[in-house]
Amino acid sequence: MQHNASCRSCGGSRLNEVISLGKTPLANALLNESQLSQPEPRWMLDLVRCLDCSLVQITETVPPESMFSDYAYFSSFSDTMVSHARTIAERLVDQRGLEASSQVIEIASNDGYLLQWYAKRNVPVLGIEPARNIAKVAIEQRAIPTISDFFGIKLALALAEQGLVADVIHANNVLAHVPDLNGVVEGLKALLKPGGRVVVEAPYLGDLIDHVEFDTIYHEHLCYFSLTALVALFARHGLDIVDVERLAIHGGSLRIFAAHASTESISSAVGSLLKNESTWVHCEEHHQRFASRVEDLRQSLIERLQDLKAAGNRIAVYGASAKGSTLMNYFGIDAKLIDYVVDRSTVKQGRYTPGTHLKIYDPQRLLDDQPDYCLLLTWNFAEEIMLQQASYRANGGKFIIPVPEVRVA
Ligand SMILES: [Zn+2]
């Protein structure tokens, strides 16, 4: 089925449907008790593939202002994220010889979880973070200079005019979120010093497909990148991807290093991943197989939960995350199967999950209440969470991990 939208990267109009996840509420739109009786806005969640540049993307663009201004995700709530950030920051300070005369900029800098490590090494930093409440935390609690605004070519040119150009620009888990993809990459180019590096991390389409991570599809994630699609996007703005690494974080991500075009040699890792992708990025059958694996997963998870419930078990959910919202809404997992939700983020506790309206509690409730099973929807942090919940497990509690296939641990 073809769609009437155009590709966010190349502008092409030949878009084939990969999977439709129906009409769902925004995945991060947690509700207060007073909002439960009000109508909840829902938007189509259709995933398509551009037949020209291969970029996989959703068709709907929800206005970013309605998603980001009170965004409840603080990176520092995850130990994994903070230590991941520390490792890359310290590596780049050493490798690139960054010092007091250098400049590091991060787009979507969140609460300063990454830039704090550069600041500790006395490298000047600047964060750009559209969510005002989160930027405030970076400024007040970590002393990270932060501009609270949406990043694009306009802001980039204004900064460059003030001489604020960077040796290293980080853009972690943001490229997938931006409606004006070309404007952002043009902005990265405008802010980059000669010889500098743009370091981008984004969830990898190859892992999404291989591991059936369909729940990483939600309205805030407009695009799902392969290296093939990224190379075309960056080349359009005079940037070469000179190196690539595959990371385990977020269920599998790419970390790309980009430089001004034709200034540096390109690593063999780039060539070999492009070669691997040439076997599937343009393959219709490969993408259709993914859609049918999602349906198989739905069936097996629902059957498992229904059987457990019928046998008198009580089931909680760990993780009021965006991916949890996609999974629960698309699979129809609600109060009929689930007793309540727990999440470590204090800003989420006391609120309700979008669409499914389950109340969110402190994870301590798992110990106080000891439900028989806990469906782990933030499976990307499974190891970290199961370590934190060692007592719940020691008392007989079991985790159900839904992706890539249902397993009990
Ligand atoms: Zn395209």
Side-chain angles (χ1 to χ4, degrees):
M1 186 172 112
Q2 286 219 3
H3 272 262
N4 296 327
S6 55
C7 173
R8 290 192 164 81
S9 180
C10 74
S13 57
R14 301 188 306 139
L15 304 175
N16 267 18
E17 181 171 299
V18 177
I19 190 171
S20 173
L21 298 176
K23 225 172 182 185
T24 70
L26 295 181
N28 276 313
L30 301 178
L31 304 166
N32 298 319
E33 198 168 347
S34 63
Q35 294 171 301
L36 291 176
S37 53
Q38 294 164 19
E40 216 176 344
R42 287 173 177 262
W43 313 71
M44 280 313 293
L45 192 52
D46 289 334
L47 190 75
V48 299
R49 176 173 60 93
C50 173
L51 299 188
D52 295 315
C53 76
S54 85
L55 180 64
V56 169
Q57 54 204 290
I58 63 168
T59 51
E60 196 87 43
T61 306
V62 180
E65 290 77 8
S66 64
M67 292 195 280
F68 285 102
S69 52
D70 187 27
Y71 192 44
Y73 184 77
F74 286 81
S75 297
S76 296
F77 278 114
S78 161
D79 302 337
T80 309
M81 286 288 289
V82 174
S83 85
H84 174 79
R86 179 179 188 161
T87 307
I88 183 67
E90 291 182 345
R91 181 177 132 194
L92 285 168
V93 170
D94 295 336
Q95 276 181 355
R96 308 200 61 79
L98 302 179
E99 41 160 40
S101 65
S102 309
Q103 177 72 51
V104 174
I105 295 178
E106 185 182 13
I107 316 304
S109 50
N110 204 275
D111 55 9
Y113 74 103
L114 169 64
L115 291 178
Q116 63 178 332
W117 303 111
Y118 287 102
K120 282 186 172 55
R121 297 281 297 269
N122 298 317
V123 177
V125 295
L126 175 67
I128 298 163
E129 169 53 56
R132 285 179 300 276
N133 59 327
I134 296 179
K136 199 165 164 243
V137 172
I139 296 165
E140 291 177 1
Q141 294 179 18
R142 296 213 166 81
I144 303 296
T146 304
I147 297 173
S148 186
D149 202 349
F150 285 94
F151 180 77
I153 184 62
K154 205 172 137 207
L155 179 58
L157 290 175
L159 291 172
E161 209 159 276
Q162 296 167 40
L164 258 166
V165 284
D167 300 273
V168 171
I169 308 173
H170 283 283
N172 284 354
N173 301 307
V174 59
L175 217 51
H177 295 249
V178 293
D180 181 15
L181 202 50
N182 286 293
V184 165
V185 179
E186 189 68 25
L188 295 173
K189 161 91 176 168
L191 278 188
L192 189 65
K193 281 186 193 171
R197 282 286 183 283
V198 175
V199 185
V200 173
E201 290 181 23
Y204 182 40
L205 177 68
D207 289 308
L208 187 160
I209 291 178
D210 289 350
H211 308 134
V212 208
E213 295 164 357
F214 79 97
D215 53 346
T216 60
I217 302 165
Y218 44 89
H219 294 101
E220 289 179 8
H221 284 168
L222 302 171
C223 296
Y224 303 81
F225 293 104
S226 61
L227 183 60
T228 307
L230 284 167
V231 165
L233 169 65
F234 277 66
R236 199 175 300 126
H237 301 284
L239 292 166
D240 282 345
I241 294 177
V242 296
D243 201 6
V244 62
E245 293 167 358
R246 290 184 66 174
L247 310 171
I249 201 159
H250 297 305
S253 294
L254 290 184
R255 177 189 280 149
I256 59 157
F257 298 85
H260 289 289
S262 310
T263 57
E264 313 214 11
S265 59
I266 292 174
S267 84
S268 61
V270 172
S272 73
L273 189 54
L274 288 175
K275 190 169 170 222
N276 168 293
E277 289 184 355
S278 69
T279 63
W280 60 264
V281 282
H282 294 290
C283 174
E284 176 69 15
E285 199 199 339
H286 186 81
H287 293 81
Q288 288 311 315
R289 208 161 37 232
F290 163 72
S292 58
R293 287 179 72 197
V294 175
E295 290 315 309
D296 294 345
L297 188 63
R298 162 155 58 182
Q299 220 168 355
S300 72
L301 182 61
I302 294 292
E303 274 173 18
R304 178 72 73 103
L305 294 176
Q306 283 172 342
D307 289 351
L308 289 173
K309 199 75 187 169
N313 291 290
R314 289 184 313 123
I315 311 169
V317 155
Y318 193 108
S321 62
K323 58 169 66 66
S325 181
T326 290
L327 187 140
M328 287 198 289
N329 280 294
Y330 183 55
F331 283 3
I333 295 175
D334 56 17
K336 288 195 286 295
L337 292 168
I338 300 297
D339 292 84
Y340 52 88
V341 175
V342 299
D343 195 286
R344 196 180 173 196
S345 166
T346 50
V347 294
K348 295 181 180 179
Q349 294 163 11
R351 299 172 83 184
Y352 293 81
T353 55
T356 47
H357 297 188
L358 290 155
K359 193 166 184 184
I360 303 161
Y361 294 88
D362 188 297
Q364 175 64 33
R365 187 167 171 140
L366 293 182
L367 285 179
D368 298 343
D369 188 46
Q370 200 63 35
D372 305 288
Y373 288 86
C374 186
L375 176 62
L376 181 48
L377 296 185
T378 41
W379 46 259
N380 49 327
F381 296 117
E383 276 176 38
E384 178 180 337
I385 290 163
M386 290 205 285
L387 265 177
Q388 287 162 4
Q389 298 303 327
S391 306
Y392 165 69
R393 296 178 79 204
N395 293 339
K398 292 188 180 69
F399 278 100
I400 303 170
I401 299 159
V403 171
E405 54 202 358
V406 182
R407 69 184 171 99
V408 175

